[in-house]
Amino acid sequence: MDADELKRRYVAGERDFSIADLSRVKLIKAYLPGINLWAANLSGANLAKAKLWGANFEGANLSRANLTGANLSGANLSQANLRGAKLNNVKLYGANFTGAFYDESTRFVRGFDPISQNMRLI
């Protein structure tokens, strides 16, 4: 699925994109609050400045994804793969990271402590 198809379907009212292959998709500044991306492949995706509050990324592959400046407030990122992801200047109020994976190359917003969020270093 490409970015245009996802946005078209979202605007039409669809919210469930579970298991979708969105690797390397460009969704810069996309407005997608409440989207369900359970177990979706978003590796290498560019979600910079996207509005994703309340989104479900449980079990999603966000490795090497760019989430710089995105709004992930209230999002569920439990069990997500965040290895190599960029989470600089991200709004994370109320986001759930329990069991999410990260590595030494993952970049977090200043002051974020992955250990206190029950994340797992791989």
Side-chain angles (χ1 to χ4, degrees), residues 78-118:
S78 62
Q79 306 298 319
N81 177 358
L82 295 167
R83 292 181 294 177
K86 295 177 185 172
L87 294 150
N88 304 336
N89 301 315
V90 176
K91 293 178 182 164
L92 298 172
Y93 180 77
N96 177 7
F97 288 91
T98 302
F101 302 94
Y102 70 102
D103 64 14
E104 296 297 331
S105 66
T106 305
R107 297 292 166 246
F108 293 105
V109 65
R110 185 184 312 247
F112 182 82
D113 177 20
I115 295 168
S116 71
Q117 298 295 319
N118 298 311

Side-chain angles (χ1 to χ4, degrees), residues 41-87:
N41 180 8
L42 292 147
S43 62
N46 191 342
L47 299 159
K49 299 183 180 179
K51 308 298 188 264
L52 299 161
W53 55 83
N56 181 19
F57 291 100
E58 182 178 358
N61 181 1
L62 290 156
S63 63
R64 299 177 319 282
N66 181 7
L67 294 150
T68 302
N71 187 336
L72 295 171
S73 297
N76 180 9
L77 292 116
S78 62
Q79 306 298 319
N81 177 358
L82 295 167
R83 292 181 294 177
K86 295 177 185 172
L87 294 150

Side-chain angles (χ1 to χ4, degrees), residues 2-74:
D2 65 13
D4 290 334
E5 180 183 351
L6 177 89
K7 288 190 262 185
R8 184 173 49 255
R9 289 167 60 180
Y10 183 90
V11 168
E14 189 173 344
R15 295 296 181 267
D16 188 1
F17 297 91
S18 298
I19 317 171
D21 184 0
L22 298 163
S23 58
R24 295 183 298 280
V25 71
K26 292 182 181 169
L27 291 166
I28 301 164
K29 296 184 180 179
Y31 182 82
L32 303 167
I35 193 167
N36 182 9
L37 292 163
W38 176 85
N41 180 8
L42 292 147
S43 62
N46 191 342
L47 299 159
K49 299 183 180 179
K51 308 298 188 264
L52 299 161
W53 55 83
N56 181 19
F57 291 100
E58 182 178 358
N61 181 1
L62 290 156
S63 63
R64 299 177 319 282
N66 181 7
L67 294 150
T68 302
N71 187 336
L72 295 171
S73 297

